[in-house]
């Protein structure tokens, strides 16, 4: 970034009320600005740049009382880290801290004891993700120091200074096939060697760190460890950072529900630790249920205090909703700041939904003491996603916050609820044509809040707490264990079965009323809870800012761990005339910044395929016969890109009219002639997958691939060596005349089918489908079946064959077809 390009708009505003400062800027369709009481913003500053997207701020106050802010800046090609400081003369012009632009994450700040600041961040360099640090003092920056060298990803740093002037850095690292926490300490003599802080087979992630008044440094994190033993839960753990590794950590969270996203803060006489607590709904459709942690409800925050080396029982902090219609569908950030007493200020951001077309991202602030929580203050509201982190610090009797603020001119997608389904109305499509999300940018909003005014201000209305969901007792029994991998051999090749999700939305999709959560939560849920091998986050291209597409691509690279987990870049292309398709790429080099194509209403799919040009990509239509969501227009087809179709998802089965678990129980939602079989009947050669779509949906994609690596998975999908299931980890493999599923072959003689079906429960009904008809069916009481069948019919024209396998528990699996032609 060129410093001269950077425009910092600095607004030092004394004693403004938030109701005046926080008008909804540029909002055309949002709710009217409400009064937010008399909360005083003693000092505010906005940092923005017309060409760069600003996200992930952190904030600290130096020992000399100067506020220091750092954040990520994406210029359309790469990230920089910018920082600004405020002294007695006001704010500095932001300065670029990174020596070379790149892919960066999570700038984190810690004030030292001498008026300086340490900045630690993670970045991709030399093909791996590592941690880096720089020190700032009196306007001077030290050289960049590299803290990690390991080839596995090192990310998510948290930093603090201890009382002896040592800098502590803790982070999550993928080493030896799992996520653990590691720490490094920089003493005045230099960096000490890294040390492992957790040693458990389960994922230990999302570290937070703070130094207590006695000088002990504490680390807290979220751990899936209880999930390994059937408890099915993320819990919050904490330990002193200098304890030996074999001293067990303390489990601080106490509820049977799911606890995530911890944040530690130092207080005058101890520490406070906050986290989120929620009930996670298993995914269900009719009688089918599959566990996942992307579909939560009933969220509260909890805070525990460290007193004399022990953690207190947590205090509940409930989100204060405006009215009965308001629902919370995603949280994007929370942070705590401690005061000189044992009270803390808890900031939490979430997506609030009222009715069908009114959703905003809100931030609330709540004062919490060991005895009580509240009142809550509504401190900001924006139409789109501000970002993932809130920087906070308590200094000089003020609460300083730094948040990414939404760009101006955003539009609210209009939605109509149809049987629980969100769709975009014609007005939204018309507005979409006026809008170019590629040009939209976030900025950084810094402010100081004064508590006297906060407590004197008008709080949100007190509402009786809603009864909480019980945790279902059978959740534990639904845990999916990693079984030995099934393989099949074909001539000299061996293929292993891998499971994934190729249709998965985060809250970047804007139609977040489906409870889609933050991207990082989806990735963790896919890995820890659903035990998937590969995933593609397919957010709506039409609503994504360039900076959000960049963040998804960065996360895709960060989450790619060959042999362990594959993340494929992708997005959803939504034409409200020609239907919806997911676009999946093999890697982020192919899926560059300009690979995103946005449909408006009448954009034909040919424009998408032209845009993809020579890139490797697969386009996968979904809900093809959904009349209201828009059916797939099968008159457009491209053999090169349109290799697969999604037969099953959250809305049900699209195989044929009358199929089991068919999507449209209401006939007005059904578009006849658009089912998967209709497309096959037109001669389109489509392999079959299934995937959930939004949070809470069901569907699973299976592939038979050479290895668990991006190009091998993409290649297997491209070759249509794949199958779909309603969510059960079934395995289905079909060969016709020794050719694997997905093949197009010429047959000289009889057509012979050979299929292997591994069900997840005893009792299978296996049906051979050919040219729109069930031509053969067998049942078995076993969970595993080998089918051999020769078609007695003479082959006179090209014919397709696929297998549908139905379990007694209603789960279904479908193989991709094989196409057989006469000579
Ligand atoms: Zn869609
Ligand atoms: Zn979708």
């Amino acid at each position: 970034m060129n410093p001269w390009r950077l425009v910092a708009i600095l607004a030092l505003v004394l004693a403004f009320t938030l109701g005046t400062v926080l008008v909804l800027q540029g909002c055309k369709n949002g709710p009217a600005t409400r009064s937010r009481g008399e909360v005083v913003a003693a000092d505010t500053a906005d940092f923005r740049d017309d060409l760069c997207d600003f996200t992930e701020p952190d904030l600290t106050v130096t020992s000399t009382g100067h506020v220091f802010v750092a954040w990520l800046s994406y210029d359309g090609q790469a990230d920089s880290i910018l920082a600004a400081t405020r002294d007695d003369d006001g704010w500095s012009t932001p300065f670029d801290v990174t020596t070379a632009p790149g892919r960066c994450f999570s700038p984190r700040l810690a004030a030292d004891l001498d008026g300086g600041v340490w900045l630690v961040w993670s970045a991709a360099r030399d093909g791996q993700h590592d941690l880096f640090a720089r020190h700032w003092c009196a306007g001077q920056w030290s050289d960049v120091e590299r803290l990690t060298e390991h080839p596995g990803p090192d990310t998510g740093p948290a930093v603090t200074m201890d009382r002896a002037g040592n800098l502590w850095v803790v982070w999550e690292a993928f080493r030896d096939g799992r996520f653990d926490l590691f720490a490094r300490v920089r003493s005045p003599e230099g960096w000490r060697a890294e040390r492992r802080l957790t040693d458990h087979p389960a994922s230990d992630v999302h570290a937070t760190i703070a130094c207590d008044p006695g000088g002990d440094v504490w680390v807290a994190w979220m751990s899936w460890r209880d999930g390994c033993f059937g408890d099915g839960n993320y819990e919050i753990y904490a330990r002193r950072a200098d304890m030996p590794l074999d001293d067990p950590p303390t489990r601080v969270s106490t509820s049977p529900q799911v606890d995530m996203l911890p944040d530690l803060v130092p207080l005058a006489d101890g520490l406070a630790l906050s986290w989120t607590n929620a009930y996670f709904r298993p995914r269900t459709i009719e009688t089918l249920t599959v566990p996942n942690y992307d579909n939560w409800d009933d969220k509260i925050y909890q805070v525990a205090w460290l007193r004399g080396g022990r953690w207190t029982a947590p205090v509940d902090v409930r989100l204060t909703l405006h009215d009965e219609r308001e629902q919370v569908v995603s949280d994007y950030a929370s942070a705590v700041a401690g005061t000189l007493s044992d009270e803390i200020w808890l900031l939490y951001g979430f997506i609030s939904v009222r009715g069908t077309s009114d959703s905003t991202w809100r931030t609330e602030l709540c004062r919490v003491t060991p005895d009580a929580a509240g009142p809550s203050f509504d401190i900001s509201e924006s139409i789109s996603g501000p970002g993932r982190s809130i920087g906070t610090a308590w200094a000089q009797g003020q609460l300083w916050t730094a948040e990414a603020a939404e760009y101006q001119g955003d539009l609210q997608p209009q939605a109509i609820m149809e049987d629980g389904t969100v769709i975009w109305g014609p007005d939204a499509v018309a507005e979409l044509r006026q809008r170019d999300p590629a040009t939209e940018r976030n900025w950084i909003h810094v402010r100081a809040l004064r508590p006297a005014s906060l407590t004197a201000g008008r709080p949100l209305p007190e509402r009786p707490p809603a009864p909480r969901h019980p945790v279902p007792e059978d959740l534990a029994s639904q845990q999916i264990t990693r079984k030995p991998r099934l393989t099949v051999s074909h001539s000299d090749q061996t293929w292993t079965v891998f499971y994934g999700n190729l249709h998965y939305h985060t809250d970047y999709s804007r139609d977040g009323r489906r409870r889609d959560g933050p991207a990082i939560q989806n990735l963790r849920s896919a890995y820890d809870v659903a035990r998937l091998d590969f995933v593609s986050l397919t957010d709506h291209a039409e609503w994504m800012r360039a900076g959000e597409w960049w963040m998804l691509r960065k996360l895709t690279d960060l989450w790619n761990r060959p042999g362990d987990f594959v993340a494929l870049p992708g997005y959803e292309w939504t034409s409200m005339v020609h239907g919806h398709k997911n676009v999946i790429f093999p890697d982020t080099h192919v899926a560059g910044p300009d690979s995103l194509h946005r449909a408006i209403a009448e954009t034909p799919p040919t424009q998408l395929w032209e845009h993809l040009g020579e890139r490797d990509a697969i386009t996968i239509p979904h809900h093809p016969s959904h009349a209201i969501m828009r059916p797939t227009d099968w008159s457009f087809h491209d053999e090169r890109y349109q290799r697969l179709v999604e037969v099953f998802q959250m809305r049900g089965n699209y195989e044929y009219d009358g199929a089991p678990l068919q999507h449209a129980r209401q006939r007005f939602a059904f578009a006849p002639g658009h089912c998967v079989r209709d497309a096959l009947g037109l001669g389109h050669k489509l392999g079959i997958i299934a995937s959930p779509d939004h949070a809470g949906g069901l569907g699973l994609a299976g592939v038979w691939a050479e290895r668990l690596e991006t190009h091998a998975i993409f290649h297997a999908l491209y070759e249509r060596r794949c199958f779909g299931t309603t969510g059960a980890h079934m395995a289905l493999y079909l060969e016709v005349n020794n050719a694997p599923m997905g093949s197009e072959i010429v047959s000289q003689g009889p057509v012979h089918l050979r299929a292997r079906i591994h069900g997840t429960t005893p009792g299978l009904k296996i049906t051979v489908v050919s040219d729109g008809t069930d031509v053969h069916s067998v049942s078995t009481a076993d969970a595993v079946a080998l089918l051999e069948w020769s078609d007695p019919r003479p082959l006179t024209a090209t014919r397709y064959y696929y297998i549908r396998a139905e379990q007694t528990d209603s789960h279904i699996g479908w193989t991709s077809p094989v196409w057989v032609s006469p000579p």
Side-chain angles (χ1 to χ4, degrees):
M1 150 149 356
N2 300 321
W4 55 266
R5 204 149 72 15
L6 190 66
V7 182
I9 301 174
L10 307 176
L12 282 160
V13 185
L14 287 170
F16 257 59
T17 68
L18 285 186
T20 309
V21 176
L22 297 170
V23 291
L24 293 171
Q25 303 184 53
C27 161
K28 289 182 189 167
N29 249 2
T33 305
R34 282 191 311 274
S35 164
R36 289 180 182 73
E38 302 305 313
V39 176
V40 169
D43 188 342
T44 69
D46 281 334
F47 299 96
R48 69 172 90 194
D49 182 329
D50 289 344
L51 296 173
C52 295
D53 197 61
F54 289 172
T55 53
E56 288 204 55
D58 196 20
L59 178 146
T60 193
V61 177
T62 66
S63 63
T64 48
H66 298 146
V67 180
F68 195 101
V69 189
W71 65 89
L72 289 186
S73 167
Y74 171 60
D75 68 358
Q77 295 297 321
D79 291 318
S80 306
I81 294 174
L82 302 182
T85 181
R86 183 178 183 278
D87 60 21
D88 300 336
D89 300 326
W91 285 94
S92 70
T93 300
F95 32 86
D96 188 349
V97 179
T98 33
T99 48
R103 284 177 290 155
C104 302
F105 299 87
S106 321
R108 294 291 179 264
L109 299 169
D112 69 16
L113 306 184
D114 307 310
V117 169
W118 278 97
L119 169 68
V120 176
W121 70 97
S122 74
R125 196 179 285 186
D126 312 326
Q128 61 188 56
H129 290 86
D130 283 307
L131 296 188
F132 300 88
R134 276 189 101 171
H135 183 252
W136 174 91
C137 194
Q140 298 297 311
W141 285 96
S142 69
D143 290 341
V144 176
E145 297 174 38
R146 186 175 189 148
L147 307 193
T148 58
E149 300 279 351
H150 195 277
D154 293 282
T155 183
V159 290
T160 197
M161 293 297 296
D162 70 16
R163 305 232 147 187
N166 302 309
L167 172 71
W168 289 72
V169 183
V170 58
W171 71 95
E172 65 190 61
F174 188 78
R175 309 265 169 94
D176 311 318
R178 64 192 205 227
F179 286 103
D180 277 313
L181 300 189
F182 287 78
R184 280 195 83 175
V185 175
R186 193 185 195 282
S187 67
E189 292 77 47
W191 289 98
R192 297 182 200 146
E194 75 173 28
R195 217 159 59 74
R196 184 183 276 273
L197 292 188
T198 64
D199 189 21
H200 192 278
S203 293
D204 291 304
V205 294
H206 197 96
T208 174
I209 190 168
C211 182
D212 75 13
D216 288 331
V217 174
W218 283 78
V219 176
W221 67 96
M222 59 187 256
S223 176
W224 178 245
R225 58 183 62 198
D226 296 309
C228 284
F229 305 112
D231 206 2
N233 225 334
Y234 282 115
E235 296 294 348
I236 306 301
Y237 280 79
R239 57 170 286 167
R240 260 176 50 195
D242 59 349
M243 279 200 314
L245 193 54
D246 48 5
D247 272 19
T250 306
R251 179 173 149 179
V252 186
S253 55
T254 54
S255 95
Q257 290 158 326
V258 178
D259 301 280
M260 298 168 71
L261 310 179
D263 197 15
L264 269 172
V265 63
L267 297 169
D269 64 347
L271 294 174
L273 174 59
S274 76
W275 65 88
T276 65
N277 171 271
Y279 163 72
F280 279 70
R281 276 180 204 285
R283 296 154 173 260
T284 56
I285 186 167
E286 295 194 4
T287 57
L288 303 182
T289 298
V290 172
N292 212 328
Y293 280 13
D294 58 10
N295 185 28
W296 56 263
D297 202 354
D298 205 15
K299 171 152 293 196
I300 63 169
Y301 289 82
Q302 296 189 307
V303 183
W305 280 259
L306 182 71
R307 290 278 162 66
R310 301 183 79 89
W311 291 95
T312 64
V315 168
D316 289 355
V317 183
R318 287 166 196 279
L319 297 165
T320 311
L321 304 181
H322 288 136
D323 54 53
E324 269 69 29
R325 292 171 63 221
E326 186 173 27
Q327 288 182 58
V328 174
V329 298
S330 177
D331 67 334
Y332 60 90
S334 71
V336 279
T339 64
L340 292 175
S341 65
D342 60 4
E343 72 177 30
I344 64 160
W345 291 97
L346 174 65
L347 276 106
Y348 41 88
F350 55 92
I351 300 178
S352 142
V353 177
R354 257 164 269 138
T356 56
S357 60
D358 178 2
S359 83
T360 54
W361 299 59
R362 287 218 283 120
T363 310
E364 278 186 17
L365 175 66
C366 186
R367 181 171 155 272
V368 188
T369 70
D371 306 315
S376 303
F377 299 88
D378 194 0
I379 67 163
S380 65
E381 184 156 1
S382 64
I383 293 305
S384 185
R388 294 286 165 239
S389 67
I390 305 176
T392 55
W394 179 263
Q396 298 135 13
Q398 299 189 120
L399 175 66
W400 284 90
T401 68
E403 286 179 272
E406 61 140 353
Y407 48 83
Q408 290 193 43
D410 186 27
L411 296 170
Q412 175 79 348
Q414 272 202 346
I416 302 166
M417 291 292 229
E418 171 266 318
D419 190 25
T421 301
V422 177
I423 62 174
W424 297 339
D427 289 353
V429 171
E431 284 166 351
L432 198 54
R433 286 181 222 169
Q434 312 293 322
R435 176 177 174 255
D436 182 4
T439 64
E440 293 167 348
R441 315 281 180 246
N442 274 351
W443 72 88
I444 302 298
H445 184 58
V446 180
R447 59 188 152 181
L449 305 168
R450 285 190 183 142
S453 312
L454 285 172
T455 49
R458 191 172 44 168
L460 285 160
E462 197 63 40
R463 296 180 59 228
R468 305 212 68 201
H469 286 279
V471 175
E473 282 182 9
D474 59 345
L475 195 62
S477 65
Q478 294 159 8
Q479 290 308 309
I480 301 154
T481 49
R482 282 196 204 276
K483 293 188 199 118
R485 296 281 189 193
L486 292 173
T487 58
V488 292
S489 293
H490 179 80
S491 43
D492 59 346
Q493 297 182 75
T494 301
W495 297 316
T496 305
V497 67
F498 298 109
Y499 295 98
N501 180 346
L502 295 173
H503 189 178
Y504 204 8
H505 291 272
T506 81
D507 51 24
Y508 285 157
S509 279
R510 306 289 186 270
D511 52 350
R513 297 162 192 83
R514 282 287 176 193
R515 301 171 178 274
D516 300 310
I520 185 71
Q521 188 168 309
N522 282 20
L523 289 164
R524 284 177 178 156
S525 181
Y527 184 70
D528 286 330
V529 187
R531 303 286 170 120
L532 299 182
D533 301 305
F534 62 93
V535 75
S536 183
L537 300 178
T538 51
D539 280 312
H540 288 294
E542 289 73 21
W543 302 109
M544 248 194 292
R545 290 199 325 267
E548 290 167 336
W549 176 228
W550 169 246
M551 182 58 86
L552 284 186
R553 292 166 57 240
K554 282 199 299 184
L555 283 171
T556 297
D557 279 344
L558 178 67
W559 269 74
N560 250 313
R561 303 183 295 272
D564 185 65
F565 191 79
V566 160
L568 297 167
Y571 60 82
E572 179 172 340
W573 181 91
T574 306
S575 160
M576 291 309 286
V577 173
H578 301 288
H580 303 197
K581 302 176 196 304
N582 285 308
V583 184
I584 309 288
F585 300 95
D587 63 44
T588 54
H589 297 292
V590 177
D594 58 349
S595 61
L596 204 66
H597 187 257
R598 296 179 171 95
I600 55 170
E602 65 273 12
T603 306
T606 43
Q607 277 191 22
L608 167 64
W609 295 320
E610 276 166 29
H611 180 82
L612 293 173
E614 290 307 304
R615 289 184 183 90
D616 285 336
I618 299 172
T619 63
I620 312 175
H622 57 268
H623 51 62
S625 56
H626 200 301
I628 294 167
M629 298 296 293
R630 299 305 174 223
T632 299
D633 183 348
W634 292 115
S635 65
F636 291 95
H637 191 64
D638 188 298
E639 287 271 322
R640 173 174 173 183
Y641 292 112
Q642 197 133 288
R643 306 288 294 179
L644 305 172
V645 61
E646 184 186 284
V647 69
F648 183 90
Q649 58 141 267
M650 61 184 286
R651 296 177 181 88
N653 183 1
Y654 294 87
E655 186 185 0
Y656 62 95
D657 190 13
L661 300 172
Q662 185 175 353
H663 80 101
R665 274 149 286 159
Q666 296 152 295
R667 296 306 289 177
F668 68 88
F670 179 68
H674 290 265
C675 294
V676 169
R677 272 197 196 171
D678 300 312
L680 294 171
L682 290 169
H684 300 336
K685 300 196 170 56
L686 297 163
I688 289 179
I689 59 130
S691 281
D693 200 344
H694 292 282
L698 273 78
L700 193 62
V703 301
W704 296 97
E706 234 173 278
R707 59 191 181 281
L708 186 53
E709 179 271 334
T710 49
H711 288 264
I713 298 291
F714 183 85
H715 181 70
L717 290 167
Y718 192 85
E719 296 289 305
R720 301 176 289 230
R721 210 162 52 243
C722 55
F723 57 91
T725 85
T726 48
H729 283 219
M730 304 165 72
L732 298 92
Y733 181 73
L734 169 68
E735 279 184 359
V736 178
N737 292 3
N738 295 322
M741 57 202 202
S743 303
E744 301 170 49
I745 60 170
V746 173
S747 176
Q748 307 286 345
V751 177
H752 185 75
L753 275 73
R754 204 163 186 275
R756 265 178 67 181
I757 312 296
H758 291 254
T760 56
T761 183
L764 288 169
K765 181 184 168 199
I766 300 166
T767 304
V768 179
V769 183
S770 177
D771 286 13
T773 323
D774 295 356
V775 293
H776 179 67
S777 189
V778 289
S779 291
T780 169
D782 297 332
V784 177
L786 188 66
L787 175 112
E788 299 264 1
W789 182 72
S790 293
D791 192 346
R793 304 172 298 166
L795 187 69
T796 52
T798 301
R799 195 180 272 168
Y800 69 80
Y801 296 87
Y802 70 86
I803 302 281
R804 180 179 62 248
E806 294 162 73
Q807 300 195 152
T808 50
D809 64 358
S810 302
H811 274 293
I812 310 172
W814 300 262
T815 70
S816 289
V818 175
W819 290 265
V820 188
S821 301

